[in-house]
Amino acid sequence: MRKPLNFLLVFLFSLQVFAQEHKPIKWAVRPSAGKTFPLTTLPGGHITDGLIGFSGNTYYWQLLSVSWFFSNNWGAEFFFNGNHASSVGNRYNRFVEAVEQRFGDEYYTTPSSGAIYPYLSALGGSIERGGIGPVYKIEKGNFLFIGRAMIGVTSFYTDFGYATLKEKGGNERLHVHWSARDAVKDYFTFNPSFTFGYRLSRRIVLDFDFNYWLYHVGTRYTETITNQYTKEISKQTFQYSGLINEISLGAGFMFILR
Amino acid sequence: MKKPAIFLITIFCLRIFISCCDCIETVSLWYTIQTVATRHIDNRGAEPVYSDSGTIPARAYGIKINLYLQQYALRNRMNLMGFQSSFATSCDCPPEFLYLPQDTITGIRIIMLDDSAVPAESDETARFSVLFYTSYISVSDFLQRNPEEFYEQASEYTIELYIMKPEGISGEKRFRTEISLSGGRTVSTVSTPVNLI
């Protein structure tokens, strides 16, 4: 046990000995990827859960991140990353199951939703995040530490849902519509993050990222059931509201432009 | 001032010529309703089942009306202008053929025939609604709709009526369906017996 420990200590101290003196970083881009874990997530349990293109448990990839340091330590950064989870991609199936579970005993159900065509872009995934904020950098030989306090936006889709219900053993027909009004929901997000990096060369840094995400989601779905014979309409709402806490762990490379 | 005006008019004319489409004049034809036939609808399941007999729950009962059509005359159109239709600024040509109803449906009556009851006949139209796509509309609302026009020759036209007020209907019944037409004619048919439970 002592041998590996001694080796590690010697290795770490020797890095300082062999460390080159680098010019302070002025401009850098930082593509990275990783996984996000929910500490608290969106409360649900409604028939409309499958219409929301949201999950706290996602993979992320960050293709766009630019840092500019106007002094040796201080700078500013902009980032945009995409997030996706298989549970977001197949949420239409969950919606169909939820409709069948709620109405299937009495009615033949024919659901449809915009969620059948899951939105997934190469850049933004299905849940998009972007932010801007001040950064503080410490460079020590080949080692690099960056702390950030970013503010930005987390965006995801809330699709409409629709179902025609035909009574089992009878002629009654109902139309059910679920709507969250605006299709895209944007939520103000606070995002402190840290990056620990090691210079592999003059321009390339291997970095490990830790992100904390804090934002409040508040949206609601309105369910409208219309009897196709009597034209009677009944409505109810499903509230989605809660403070979301997530952490992300990832790794990537920082490319020093100047 | 003249030169810009000529320039603009030229562009406008060029645009019209470019936009002009070589569309064929629509041939309009009359169709008329010749006869009517009905079948029973068993609507217990996810999709309706059509039959000529059997036992059907009254709350899942319906009548399928088949109107058999006949194209019988070319509709004359007066062309006082002496010009073919031009479709400048749009390339959406009208249909090649248009089949229009010569006489429209002005009334639908569903008469229930019950040999065991006195009186033996009763007008039960108010119990029924017309299925229009996935919604129900009343018979009177259905009659107020624009009459059916077809772009292709159609041999029949279907109306499905479903019983929405089944209370008090049970036993073996027959239904006489009467279709009144705007020309004064009435076509009717009597269904085979059905046992409503």
Side-chain angles (χ1 to χ4, degrees), chain A residues 30 62 64-66 76-81 128-135 148-154 187-191 213:
Chain A
R30 189 171 56 89
Q62 182 169 284
L64 194 60
S65 170
V66 181
E77 184 172 312
F78 163 79
F79 76 90
F80 179 82
N81 69 37
E128 296 175 345
R129 280 189 172 128
I132 193 165
V135 297
R148 304 178 192 82
M150 314 291 273
I151 53 168
V153 171
T154 299
Y187 295 103
F188 175 79
T189 304
F190 178 55
N191 165 226
W213 310 93

Side-chain angles (χ1 to χ4, degrees), chain A residues 108 166-171 173 175 228-229 231, chain B residues 43-46 59 61 129 134-136 163 165:
Chain A
Y108 296 103
K166 193 263 164 198
E167 185 189 10
K168 289 181 174 176
N171 288 332
R173 285 174 184 270
H175 286 184
Q228 292 306 296
Y229 170 63
K231 309 302 177 193
Chain B
N43 197 30
R44 274 177 286 190
R59 63 200 306 266
Y61 179 71
S129 286
T134 58
S135 299
Y136 290 112
I163 199 161
K165 294 174 185 168

Side-chain angles (χ1 to χ4, degrees), chain B residues 39-160:
Chain B
R39 299 193 78 189
H40 305 297
I41 303 174
D42 182 346
N43 197 30
R44 274 177 286 190
E47 299 295 332
V49 175
Y50 306 103
S51 66
D52 294 316
S53 62
T55 299
I56 300 171
R59 63 200 306 266
Y61 179 71
I63 296 174
K64 182 186 182 189
I65 303 172
N66 280 6
L67 299 164
Y68 294 99
L69 314 177
Q70 190 175 44
Q71 170 207 319
Y72 90 109
L74 191 69
R75 185 187 182 202
N76 293 322
R77 290 183 70 176
M78 298 289 282
N79 190 348
L80 298 173
M81 297 295 288
F83 292 102
Q84 292 291 312
S85 298
S86 66
F87 296 94
T89 72
S90 170
C91 279
D92 297 328
C93 289
E96 194 175 344
F97 294 98
L98 187 61
Y99 293 86
L100 302 160
Q102 203 221 5
D103 39 17
T104 56
I105 300 170
T106 56
I108 298 174
R109 286 180 75 209
I110 306 293
I111 313 294
M112 190 167 70
L113 309 176
D114 187 343
D115 298 334
S116 65
V118 178
E121 294 188 5
S122 58
D123 187 341
E124 303 292 348
T125 312
R127 290 180 183 271
F128 288 84
S129 286
V130 179
L131 183 65
F132 190 67
Y133 297 103
T134 58
S135 299
Y136 290 112
I137 58 172
S138 67
V139 172
S140 57
D141 285 346
F142 175 76
L143 296 173
Q144 284 170 14
R145 286 181 57 249
N146 290 329
E148 286 293 327
E149 295 179 354
F150 304 103
Y151 297 150
E152 292 175 356
Q153 190 168 4
S155 61
E156 66 179 291
Y157 167 48
T158 302
I159 304 166
E160 290 191 0

